[in-house]
Amino acid sequence: MPAFRQVGEKQLPNPILYMAWSPNRDLIALANTAGELLLHRLANFQRVWSLLPNENTGKEITSLAWRPDGKVLAFSVGDTKQVVLCDAEKAEILHLFPVEYPASCMHWMEVQDDSSTLSSFSESEDESSRFLPKLPSLPKSYSTTSKIFSEEKSDEVTNLLGEVRLNILVVGGPSGFVELYAYGLYKIATLSGITGTCRSLGLSSDLKSLSVITEIRSTEDNPEINYIQLDTGLLSSCLPELTKMARKFTHISTLLQYLRLSLTCMCEAWEDILMQMDLRLTKFVQEKNTSTQVQDEFLELLLWGHASPELQALLMNQLTVKGLKMLGQSIDSSYSSIQKLVISHLQSGSEALLYHLSEVKGMALWKQKFQPLGLDPAAIEDAIVAVGSFTLKASELLQVIDKSMKNFKAFFRWLYVAMLRMSEDHVPPELNKMTQKDLAFVADFLSEHFSANEELFDLKGKYFNVERVGQYLKDEDEDLVSPPNMEGNQWVTFVKQSSHLKDSPLLFPTYPQKSLHFVKRMMEGSIDLCLQKPAEVIGHSVKQAVCLQLYTVPERWNDKKAAMHYVVFCMPEISPSKIYILRRATDPNRSVPNGLVALHLNTPLNSSIDDETPAPASADSSYSCLDARFYDEETLTVVLRNLDDDDNKMRVLAQLHLNSVLSWDEEFIWDLTLRLEQQTERIPVQGLAWGNQSREMDNIKAQFVAVNGVRKVACVLSANLRHVRVFEMDAEEEEEEEERADESQEMSSDQDRLEDTMTNQSDTGEGGDGARGAEDAQVAGQGSGDVLDETAGSDTL
């Protein structure tokens, strides 16, 4: 009875480049050559959702990584150089950030649960909710960018942070590019000194070391594969402080994005309606033939009730009574929307920023604990001052909105009555009355929005001034066209006259000549300096501990219990029937005996090492490893190719139990002055049998495998990257299922012939992007042949 129960099979329209199982659910993520991200369920390989490529993310997915709790899926995009975090439940984009190089590999890990070091932080984590109001959700009626964050923002922060325990997303790429992101959001380290392209990487769960597999191509285009172990002891020794700092800075980063999107919503609320008013009046000024100024014509209408023919044509033909009424209602609605966004979003967000930055400043002043991480109290103080200036500018905008609303309402009410009289319509009694205050509002509107200076028209191309509220929302470096008048402000006068307060560091600068966008950019620059400094300091603290020359791109596994790094690789041309296992302690200062062993695959399929009766000679076969994944701490899942098969079609899926081979006695002494192929004879070799833990892959030319030892599942991908099979690894096929398999053999044979056709086309250069992707992954070292870890293996190191 075959091992491993098949639970799903499918032919996919587009070649699969990457696949990764969810850490704790029966879900597998697939990325194909069309740029689609697919999520399938184990049962019948049913599709849960698909995320199509778009202009915000990109279309060239280069790697996948699941957050350890399985709630968030990260994927990197090569054409836009971004890393995107996606909600696994709803296929919604939660967050994205740019990277310097396209990411070639990612690994998302979670630190070991140490309640003694993290309990204090779990108690203090909820304190902000006691002092800060819950941030309101952003409006859902604005642009696509805003819709990405249209859900409850405060809930989003909590979802992305997850539990108190720290988790880190490690991103690697070409030119030795490696960066670490706490909770997948805040960059805590930028590493340097690594040479080559990162092919696989992994951070140990105790944060003591980072293992990186790099590929360096020489002038002869022969890749050199190296294993590098980096000492990340600072992360481990400062874990409580790092967790606290990372959570605070993650809150700050998310609040900055919240403020950006709030400001975007304000701009969109203003542009559509208020710009129409600006453009209509500007057009009237440019087309009128009289030498009188627009301000004078409106004043004449206000004082004497008479309008020039040009002004009357504008009011009656272009605006119309009905159009003016609708325009007035729209402007009033826009003002109210902007006012609500300032009060509920900008002010609440900036208050939360001040709170978190103040706490970070207190952390920075505790130099014994936080100075090694690079917290700079002076830079944080500058950021606090910048946030204070932004808050003052938002309050200034509120005052301008309040004054403009009064002037606009009075102006539109007066103009509406004047147009009714021009058209000889009935004027309601409640509108016919106009107080002296109303006249003052109309006069203020005319003096503020219509300039008597002819130079303004020549310089700006407009005669009608930029709307007072809108000028605060323009993303320009120029000064405000109509800055607020501070002459009668008693507080401003008092500060100017006081020699002690004029230059006091206790008062936030106001920048009265600058827009809200300008002050926001100043604030972002100051906060970015705070965020970047720890990443530089932590990155410089990481030092190389070990560098070993390997061959094909290996698979890596981090044994949390034993605090070990395991690396699996092979040397096809030298020893095609052997798999090599390298192990290193996560602590670079701790030596490990028996650091390298070779596993011989030429053991009969249905025998074991302890069998006293040898198997018949016909049972002996030679196998080479095509792909390997760590199933758990003691088991390796492999796809094997039968070297004695002339048709090159026989594939075997097997589970290799490593209990006995990991306790070998013979010691291998690595001579770092020699390449590994010069030392193969001295590498201890262990025989290995998989017994009934294997299954021949009929009617599929299997090439790659992805596994999840927690859920006990595996997914096999064919060489043409289109045919997948899914297995439950702890179950056996039942007889009825075998009969159904026999009935579908003819269909599977057709699929096999299709695979051969597609493979032959790829060999002649006609296989499309998927075939080229497979060829690109045939990485070898110093003449080595096949690859062990291919593009489909995004769940590797």
Side-chain angles (χ1 to χ4, degrees):
M1 187 175 296
F4 321 140
R5 183 161 63 93
Q6 180 178 328
V7 294
E9 182 173 13
K10 181 166 289 190
Q11 284 278 0
L12 300 173
N14 296 306
I16 299 300
L17 295 179
Y18 304 94
M19 53 186 182
W21 283 102
S22 171
N24 50 18
R25 302 180 63 184
D26 294 334
L27 299 172
I28 185 170
L30 308 174
N32 60 29
T33 55
E36 296 176 307
L37 182 63
L38 312 173
L39 190 69
H40 285 259
R41 198 180 304 279
L42 174 65
N44 299 322
F45 209 69
Q46 177 186 2
R47 181 185 294 186
V48 180
W49 52 255
S50 63
L51 186 64
L52 300 178
N54 59 70
E55 58 182 8
N56 292 324
T57 58
K59 58 182 180 180
E60 184 186 337
I61 299 178
T62 57
S63 61
L64 301 174
W66 284 91
R67 197 171 73 177
D69 62 2
K71 295 181 179 180
V72 178
L73 175 64
F75 63 95
S76 59
V77 189
D79 51 334
T80 57
K81 297 181 181 179
Q82 292 186 125
V83 175
V84 185
L85 305 187
C86 176
D87 187 345
E89 292 288 339
K90 305 176 183 178
E92 291 183 350
I93 297 175
L94 300 175
H95 182 70
L96 50 85
F97 57 87
V99 288
E100 185 177 358
Y101 297 97
S104 57
C105 55
M106 296 191 298
H107 174 243
W108 208 333
M109 57 72 62
E110 188 174 54
V111 300
Q112 291 177 339
D113 188 8
D114 190 347
S115 57
S116 62
T117 58
L118 298 179
S119 59
S120 60
F121 296 123
S122 60
E123 295 173 359
S124 63
E125 184 63 30
D126 295 330
E127 287 186 355
S128 60
S129 61
R130 296 170 53 190
F131 304 112
L132 297 174
K134 186 176 181 180
L135 295 178
S137 60
L138 291 167
K140 299 183 180 181
S141 58
Y142 295 112
S143 68
T144 305
T145 305
S146 301
K147 286 179 181 178
I148 295 176
F149 296 87
S150 60
E151 300 298 327
E152 293 289 336
K153 196 66 183 183
S154 54
D155 293 341
E156 177 193 320
V157 178
T158 304
N159 293 336
L160 287 176
L161 286 176
E163 300 178 356
V164 176
R165 221 178 336 171
L166 178 65
N167 59 74
I168 298 177
L169 175 64
V170 189
V171 180
S175 303
F177 169 73
V178 177
E179 290 183 340
L180 280 64
Y181 291 83
Y183 303 103
L185 297 171
Y186 166 58
K187 182 166 64 176
I188 59 173
T190 301
L191 307 189
S192 58
I194 301 174
T195 306
T197 300
C198 295
R199 304 295 295 174
S200 186
L201 44 74
L203 185 63
S204 64
S205 58
D206 56 10
L207 297 183
K208 291 184 178 180
S209 63
L210 172 66
S211 291
V212 183
I213 308 297
T214 63
E215 174 189 346
I216 304 174
R217 289 191 174 270
S218 62
T219 55
E220 294 82 12
D221 203 34
N222 291 323
E224 176 183 316
I225 306 300
N226 294 327
Y227 168 79
I228 301 174
Q229 187 177 26
L230 302 172
D231 187 349
T232 57
L234 179 62
L235 299 180
S236 177
S237 60
C238 298
L239 174 58
E241 294 79 16
L242 178 67
T243 304
K244 184 73 171 179
M245 182 189 73
R247 295 185 74 85
K248 281 298 174 187
F249 275 158
T250 301
H251 275 292
I252 291 170
S253 300
T254 314
L255 285 171
L256 277 178
Q257 183 69 0
Y258 180 75
L259 292 178
R260 292 190 197 105
L261 295 173
S262 299
L263 204 52
T264 300
C265 294
M266 293 168 57
C267 292
E268 293 176 1
W270 166 74
E271 287 173 353
D272 294 339
I273 305 300
L274 301 187
M275 285 299 290
Q276 293 182 12
M277 181 71 179
D278 186 35
L279 293 175
R280 287 182 183 181
L281 294 182
T282 302
K283 182 179 179 182
F284 163 67
V285 172
Q286 293 173 344
E287 293 179 353
K288 77 183 190 69
N289 299 321
T290 59
S291 58
T292 56
Q293 298 177 355
V294 179
Q295 185 182 31
D296 295 338
E297 295 196 18
F298 275 109
L299 284 174
E300 183 178 350
L301 179 61
L302 176 64
L303 294 176
W304 311 111
H306 298 292
S308 66
E310 289 86 354
L311 181 60
Q312 188 168 351
L314 165 72
L315 297 177
M316 303 306 297
N317 299 331
Q318 295 187 21
L319 289 179
T320 72
V321 174
K322 184 178 180 180
L324 180 68
K325 188 175 182 179
M326 294 178 60
L327 183 62
Q329 292 175 349
S330 299
I331 291 177
D332 183 62
S333 176
S334 297
Y335 270 134
S336 300
S337 299
I338 296 174
Q339 195 174 38
K340 290 177 182 177
L341 285 168
V342 174
I343 296 174
S344 61
H345 293 72
L346 287 191
Q347 290 191 336
S348 298
S350 57
E351 288 173 1
L353 264 181
L354 281 174
Y355 174 86
H356 289 294
L357 282 172
S358 298
E359 285 211 334
V360 173
K361 181 183 176 182
M363 292 158 53
L365 292 175
W366 194 356
K367 296 184 178 180
Q368 181 183 359
K369 291 284 188 180
F370 291 94
Q371 192 174 33
L373 296 177
L375 287 184
D376 185 0
I380 298 172
E381 179 62 31
D382 292 340
I384 292 175
V385 171
V387 175
S389 298
F390 178 80
T391 306
L392 291 178
K393 182 59 67 172
S395 300
E396 180 184 307
L397 176 59
L398 276 180
Q399 297 176 8
V400 173
I401 291 175
D402 184 63
K403 184 177 180 181
S404 295
M405 286 183 71
K406 293 179 181 177
N407 293 348
F408 254 112
K409 287 181 178 179
F411 174 76
F412 273 95
R413 178 182 177 184
W414 162 74
L415 193 59
Y416 178 68
V417 172
M419 292 177 66
L420 288 177
R421 289 172 178 166
M422 289 180 191
S423 59
E424 299 182 354
D425 289 337
H426 173 69
V427 179
E430 63 272 11
L431 298 179
N432 206 15
K433 298 179 181 179
M434 197 167 188
T435 64
Q436 192 65 31
K437 184 178 293 186
D438 293 334
L439 286 174
F441 287 151
V442 176
D444 288 341
F445 176 86
L446 294 175
S447 63
E448 291 174 358
H449 292 78
F450 295 92
S451 174
N453 187 355
E454 295 289 349
E455 295 180 358
L456 180 64
F457 177 78
D458 296 334
L459 181 63
K460 301 287 185 180
K462 296 183 179 181
Y463 201 90
F464 181 71
N465 284 358
V466 176
E467 197 274 326
R468 276 186 170 270
V469 175
Q471 65 181 346
Y472 281 84
L473 305 179
K474 286 186 175 294
D475 192 4
E476 299 174 353
D477 293 334
E478 299 178 0
D479 292 346
L480 297 178
V481 177
S482 302
N485 185 4
M486 298 294 185
E487 292 181 0
N489 191 304
Q490 297 180 357
W491 169 253
V492 174
T493 304
F494 173 71
V495 171
K496 288 182 178 179
Q497 293 175 352
S498 173
S499 58
H500 298 286
L501 293 178
K502 184 186 299 183
D503 301 321
S504 173
L506 300 176
L507 299 181
F508 297 140
T510 57
Y511 306 103
Q513 302 294 326
K514 297 299 181 181
S515 68
L516 183 64
H517 256 293
F518 181 86
V519 179
K520 188 233 358 170
R521 288 202 305 271
M522 292 179 56
M523 175 185 68
E524 290 175 337
S526 299
I527 294 178
D528 284 343
L529 290 177
C530 298
L531 300 180
Q532 293 171 4
K533 185 66 178 299
E536 296 174 358
V537 172
I538 295 175
H540 290 154
S541 71
V542 177
K543 303 299 181 183
Q544 179 176 306
V546 175
C547 181
L548 304 175
Q549 295 180 343
L550 303 181
Y551 291 87
T552 57
V553 180
E555 153 77 349
R556 186 214 57 88
W557 174 266
N558 177 33
D559 187 346
K560 299 178 182 179
K561 297 179 181 178
M564 302 282 285
H565 284 299
Y566 287 91
V567 180
V568 178
F569 63 97
C570 63
M571 294 183 281
E573 289 196 354
I574 299 174
S575 304
S577 298
K578 293 179 181 178
I579 298 178
Y580 297 86
I581 298 182
L582 166 71
R583 65 177 182 177
R584 302 282 306 180
T586 57
D587 185 353
N589 299 319
R590 182 166 66 95
S591 61
V592 177
N594 310 320
L596 181 64
V597 69
L599 307 182
H600 208 294
L601 299 176
N602 285 359
T603 308
L605 283 174
N606 296 317
S607 68
S608 67
I609 296 178
D610 299 328
D611 283 345
E612 297 181 0
T613 304
S618 60
D620 290 327
S621 298
S622 297
Y623 293 91
S624 66
C625 183
L626 297 176
D627 197 13
R629 294 289 179 270
F630 273 101
Y631 186 76
D632 54 32
E633 289 87 346
E634 299 177 347
T635 309
L636 189 68
T637 304
V638 294
V639 175
L640 304 178
R641 175 168 61 93
N642 192 332
L643 298 177
D644 300 330
D645 181 16
D646 296 334
D647 296 333
N648 192 25
K649 290 184 178 181
M650 182 178 176
R651 300 290 190 270
V652 175
L653 178 66
Q655 296 273 65
L656 307 183
H657 297 283
L658 308 178
N659 307 44
S660 59
V661 300
L662 293 181
S663 58
W664 62 90
D665 298 326
E666 192 174 351
E667 182 73 24
F668 171 71
I669 301 176
W670 198 309
D671 188 350
L672 299 180
T673 62
L674 300 176
R675 292 189 58 84
L676 192 57
E677 75 269 18
Q678 299 172 317
Q679 311 176 60
T680 54
E681 295 181 357
R682 296 189 289 107
I683 299 176
V685 180
Q686 295 286 324
L688 188 67
W690 47 89
N692 61 353
Q693 291 296 304
S694 65
R695 173 171 178 153
E696 291 189 7
M697 296 286 99
D698 297 327
N699 306 313
I700 180 173
K701 198 172 182 179
Q703 186 77 21
F704 311 110
V705 64
V707 298
N708 184 344
V710 176
R711 307 299 297 183
K712 303 184 184 305
V713 290
C715 180
V716 176
L717 178 64
S718 65
N720 72 351
L721 308 178
R722 284 184 168 90
H723 189 182
V724 296
R725 281 185 188 172
V726 183
F727 298 91
E728 287 185 350
M729 304 300 286
D730 62 344
E732 294 183 348
E733 289 281 13
E734 298 178 359
E735 293 182 2
E736 295 181 0
E737 293 176 345
E738 290 184 15
E739 293 176 0
R740 289 196 298 268
D742 292 338
E743 294 174 357
S744 63
Q745 184 173 2
E746 183 178 352
M747 181 187 68
S748 299
S749 298
D750 293 337
Q751 294 175 348
D752 189 43
R753 287 193 294 272
L754 175 62
E755 290 180 24
D756 292 339
T757 302
M758 295 301 297
T759 304
N760 293 334
Q761 289 177 351
S762 67
D763 293 338
T764 58
E766 300 175 357
D769 294 339
R772 287 196 298 271
E775 292 170 1
D776 292 341
Q778 296 300 315
V779 181
Q782 299 297 327
S784 298
D786 297 331
V787 67
L788 181 63
D789 182 348
E790 227 281 4
T791 50
S794 62
D795 59 339
T796 64
L797 167 66

